[in-house]
Amino acid sequence: MFVRTSTRRNRDGSKVSYLQLAHNEWDPTAKTARTKVLYSFGRADQLDRPAIERLIAALTRVVGVEPAAVGPDRARAVGVPGLEFIESRPLGGVWLLDGLWHRLGIDTLLRRLAAGTSGRSGGRSRRDPVVERVLFALVANRALAPSSKLAATGWVAHDVHVPGLDTVSDDACYRAMDWLIAVEDRLARGVFDAVADLLNLEVDLIFFDTTSTYFETEDADAPVWRDQHGRPVEQDAGQDAERADGGERAEPPPGAAGQAGFRTHGKSKDSRDDLPQVVVGMAVTRDGIPVRVWCWPGNTSDSPLIRQVKDDMRDWTLGKVIWVADRGFTSKENRRHLSAGGGGYILGEKLRSGSAEATAAMARQGRYQEVNANLRVKEVKISETERFVICRNPDAADRDAAVRARLVDRLEAMIAGSDRLSPSKRAELRGVISTKPGLNRFLRVTPGGLLRIDAAKIAADAKLDGKYLLRTSDPHLTTEDIALGYKQLLEVERGWRDMKQVLDLRPVYHRLEDRIRAHVLLCWLALLLARIVETRAHTSWPRARTELQRLHVGTFTGPAGMFRKTSQPSTEARRLYTALDLALPPRILHLDPEQPATR
């Protein structure tokens, strides 16, 4: 027996719905079930609701049950045992990230390393396999709801469903992070091999760049001896005692290259030179996949870092690799190191540096070849061992001209009427302008001390509008490939932007060096998973994250036990899972007939 709705059409063509009580009867002649109407309640829009409620009450009394109450406590009011809703938590994002985590074999790799880990000191230690779940939870937290490690414990316990992990303590998070640093090298290598196999990566180009992240503290770390890679050099007990007594060691310990604190002042890429910082480097494939990150003390110079990066990846399963980096890495030593062993490079060169190469390149005549609407290139011959390519972006040229015009207008306004000033006041104005590099480069001082606009410098600067110079050691790349390869360096810059703005690299809620390094590793793993989603599903991670987090799991309990049921995924959520070849969470996620759920 059931209630059905039938629809009829009036003479004017409008539709009217009727509510009927019906049941199915078997017709032996036709050998099929036919619906028989037992009672018609009339038009659905004109129902006598009080009469229906009285009928329900009468029927429930006949079967010995009190009439049902109205509202969320209906099951409790009627005295009929039933299910009670406990809570609902987001599931879609964590489930998808866990699927990728498993597909890449990171879970298996971490559990294998936890079973017997060789640390940096050469010893071996065993870890509880749950450390893998803890690290995954921290990575998922960074990708879905970035927070401090302490806040992440509450997130796991109350705000999300993490498969295999109901709760976690902050001590467990810190221990897992400390252990993560001990297996960093082997983890990075294993993750790269898995990602290269899963995505069939093209690793003929490796892009490298650095950034910095600052700390909201005025005190930099105390300097310690460090090796050439920025790692602390251990000292024996006698040396530590000598320092505790106030003495200073004249000679550095073996392997030390200098002294520096980890969080220390340096040239900030966030314009916060007033705060201590650390330097972070990242290597990215042409597909935008971050394959590894590094950390150095905050005062580390960019130039030598790419040599360490190449050495650290020397034993990876790479063929011939062209390293692509910005102008900060174009030193002679770097070029020699990158081209060793059959490798190569594409490096930016400062056109305004006044170097012999830049001057010679700009003096060469030639016709530009149009690559696309915003890129024109020409190769110039100024060396027997390297190739140089001048690139010009017409849109960037217009922007450079506009910026220069504003600077010149501002400079003219500043020096207007300066001829009437006393020599001391003019010198004071000259000093103010010298602190503003953008203005100072267009200023000329006459022999008599008068301030003038330098027309020659403006004309020379205009010749460089929208242009940049590239140098490469590869003799086979086309001019177009060199230019387009360098333009892909923007993938690293996008990685920094997402790591800082989407995954919240900063603020860093740690002061110990290894914890800071581990925090950066967790951000890298989160960015890696996010980039795989973007690459395979052709969407942005913030958009995918929002859609995935709408897929929830609800927890219900009753006398029969506890079970968890997932909500219906949206069409976009289904598409994301399909694009990544991952299975959606089952409708019944968990069923335990003996254990009622607790709030």
Side-chain angles (χ1 to χ4, degrees):
M1 190 175 298
F2 59 92
V3 177
R4 77 169 189 174
T5 301
S6 63
T7 303
R8 299 177 185 176
R9 190 177 297 275
N10 289 334
R11 293 180 178 179
D12 59 357
S14 62
K15 293 182 179 180
V16 179
S17 296
Y18 293 84
L19 200 65
Q20 300 169 333
L21 181 65
H23 80 108
N24 290 330
E25 288 186 345
W26 179 255
D27 187 342
T29 304
K31 295 183 179 182
T32 185
R34 298 187 183 277
T35 300
K36 181 178 180 180
V37 176
L38 301 178
Y39 182 79
S40 178
F41 295 96
R43 290 176 54 157
D45 59 342
Q46 298 176 357
L47 287 178
D48 186 353
R49 293 185 177 275
I52 294 176
E53 291 177 357
R54 290 194 298 271
L55 175 62
I56 294 174
L59 291 174
T60 54
R61 282 194 295 270
V62 169
V63 297
V65 179
E66 290 297 323
V70 178
D73 295 329
R74 175 178 176 179
R76 196 176 293 118
V78 263
V80 179
L83 293 174
E84 180 182 0
F85 173 73
I86 299 297
E87 64 179 4
S88 177
R89 299 186 185 185
L91 173 68
V94 170
W95 191 270
L96 181 137
L97 293 175
D98 197 27
L100 284 178
W101 186 267
H102 177 74
R103 178 70 59 80
L104 293 172
I106 301 177
D107 55 342
T108 304
L109 175 61
L110 288 174
R111 286 195 294 268
R112 186 172 68 248
L113 293 174
T117 303
S118 295
R120 290 198 182 96
S121 61
R124 297 183 70 84
S125 62
R126 292 184 179 273
R127 293 279 173 171
D128 190 322
V130 77
V131 71
E132 178 270 328
R133 287 289 82 190
V134 174
L135 290 174
F136 168 73
L138 293 177
V139 171
N141 172 257
R142 188 55 45 187
L144 297 170
S147 63
S148 68
K149 305 306 178 291
L150 181 59
T153 62
W155 181 74
V156 170
H158 306 293
D159 301 327
V160 74
H161 178 78
V162 179
L165 189 69
D166 294 329
T167 60
V168 62
S169 67
D170 53 337
D171 285 340
C173 292
Y174 294 138
R175 289 195 300 270
M177 293 173 66
D178 294 341
W179 174 76
L180 181 64
I181 289 299
V183 299
E184 175 185 0
D185 295 341
R186 296 159 67 186
L187 173 67
R189 171 67 185 272
V191 169
F192 171 78
D193 289 343
V195 173
D197 181 63
L198 174 66
L199 301 182
N200 196 20
L201 288 182
E202 294 184 27
V203 289
D204 53 339
L205 294 180
I206 293 289
F207 302 87
F208 176 74
D209 198 9
T210 62
T211 190
S212 59
T213 186
Y214 58 85
F215 295 77
E216 297 287 353
T217 177
E218 295 180 358
D219 300 325
D221 294 339
V224 298
W225 287 108
R226 298 182 177 275
D227 62 19
Q228 60 179 350
H229 292 163
R231 295 281 187 177
V233 176
E234 295 183 2
Q235 301 184 33
D236 57 38
Q239 295 170 359
D240 291 339
E242 182 181 2
R243 175 168 295 181
D245 293 338
E248 294 186 0
R249 179 177 172 83
E251 296 294 332
Q259 285 186 311
F262 193 56
R263 298 181 303 170
T264 191
H265 293 87
K267 180 59 179 176
S268 172
K269 297 189 179 181
D270 298 306
S271 300
R272 292 306 305 264
D273 292 351
D274 58 317
L275 296 176
Q277 64 176 21
V278 297
V279 174
V280 184
M282 181 163 57
V284 175
T285 69
R286 67 159 67 222
D287 302 301
I289 303 298
V291 294
R292 189 166 179 182
V293 290
W294 292 261
C295 281
W296 295 279
N299 62 350
T300 306
S301 172
D302 276 354
S303 184
L305 299 183
I306 197 170
R307 300 199 293 271
Q308 176 192 337
V309 170
K310 183 186 178 184
D311 291 342
D312 288 348
M313 298 178 65
R314 178 185 296 138
D315 297 329
W316 290 20
T317 52
L318 303 174
K320 180 180 178 181
V321 173
I322 304 296
W323 292 85
V324 185
D326 213 338
R327 297 170 296 181
F329 303 94
T330 189
S331 69
K332 183 177 181 180
E333 179 62 22
N334 282 350
R335 301 198 304 271
R336 183 194 63 78
H337 196 86
L338 294 177
S339 59
Y345 56 80
I346 300 174
L347 301 174
E349 181 73 26
K350 297 179 181 179
L351 269 179
R352 291 181 171 86
S353 65
S355 66
E357 290 90 348
T359 302
M362 293 305 299
R364 296 294 190 273
Q365 300 296 319
R367 179 175 298 178
Y368 282 97
Q369 169 190 348
E370 186 167 340
V371 175
N372 53 47
N374 290 327
L375 181 61
R376 299 171 184 174
V377 298
K378 71 174 179 179
E379 184 170 353
V380 293
K381 180 72 172 178
I382 60 175
S383 172
E384 297 297 330
T385 58
E386 291 180 297
R387 298 169 62 195
F388 288 80
V389 176
I390 300 177
C391 304
R392 185 177 185 275
N393 184 330
D395 290 344
D398 294 340
R399 290 194 297 270
D400 290 346
V403 169
R404 183 175 55 255
R406 288 196 297 270
L407 290 174
V408 171
D409 289 344
R410 183 180 172 189
L411 180 59
E412 286 179 337
M414 290 183 70
I415 66 175
S418 61
D419 291 357
R420 296 189 298 271
L421 298 176
S422 65
S424 60
K425 288 294 184 180
R426 242 189 343 261
E428 182 179 340
L429 177 60
R430 171 70 182 92
V432 171
I433 296 175
S434 67
T435 64
K436 305 178 185 300
L439 302 178
N440 190 55
R441 61 184 171 135
F442 300 124
L443 180 66
R444 179 174 63 89
V445 181
T446 68
L450 300 180
L451 306 181
R452 295 289 185 266
I453 300 294
D454 195 328
K457 289 183 179 179
I458 293 176
D461 191 77
K463 294 180 179 179
L464 303 180
D465 285 349
K467 296 178 183 178
Y468 52 94
L469 179 63
L470 306 178
R471 65 195 307 163
T472 179
S473 61
D474 192 282
H476 304 296
L477 289 173
T478 66
T479 306
E480 179 178 344
D481 288 340
I482 295 170
L484 293 178
Y486 184 78
K487 283 194 69 174
Q488 287 182 295
L489 192 60
L490 294 175
E491 288 293 343
V492 189
E493 297 177 5
R494 188 168 73 96
W496 290 135
R497 184 177 64 251
D498 287 354
M499 189 176 280
K500 290 183 178 182
Q501 299 178 5
V502 178
L503 307 180
D504 288 357
L505 172 66
R506 184 180 55 248
V508 183
Y509 300 98
H510 305 284
R511 61 178 182 83
L512 298 180
E513 179 171 335
D514 278 355
R515 298 270 173 85
I516 296 171
R517 292 181 184 273
H519 171 75
V520 174
L521 284 177
L522 294 174
C523 291
W524 160 61
L525 289 171
L527 181 63
L528 170 68
L529 298 180
R531 279 289 181 269
I532 293 176
V533 173
E534 293 178 336
T535 302
R536 300 289 291 271
H538 305 291
T539 186
S540 69
W541 173 245
R543 185 176 303 170
R545 178 174 61 186
T546 300
E547 193 64 42
L548 290 168
Q549 290 299 81
R550 291 172 179 155
L551 175 57
H552 279 230
V553 56
T555 301
F556 301 84
T557 187
M562 180 270 290
F563 80 96
R564 292 189 173 100
K565 182 181 179 183
T566 59
S567 62
Q568 285 284 359
S570 66
T571 302
E572 176 62 15
R574 289 181 180 276
R575 188 192 72 81
L576 291 171
Y577 276 89
T578 301
L580 292 159
D581 195 23
L582 296 174
L584 283 161
R587 293 289 287 156
I588 303 300
L589 188 65
H590 179 76
L591 179 62
D592 190 342
E594 298 181 357
Q595 180 183 359
T598 57
R599 291 185 185 272

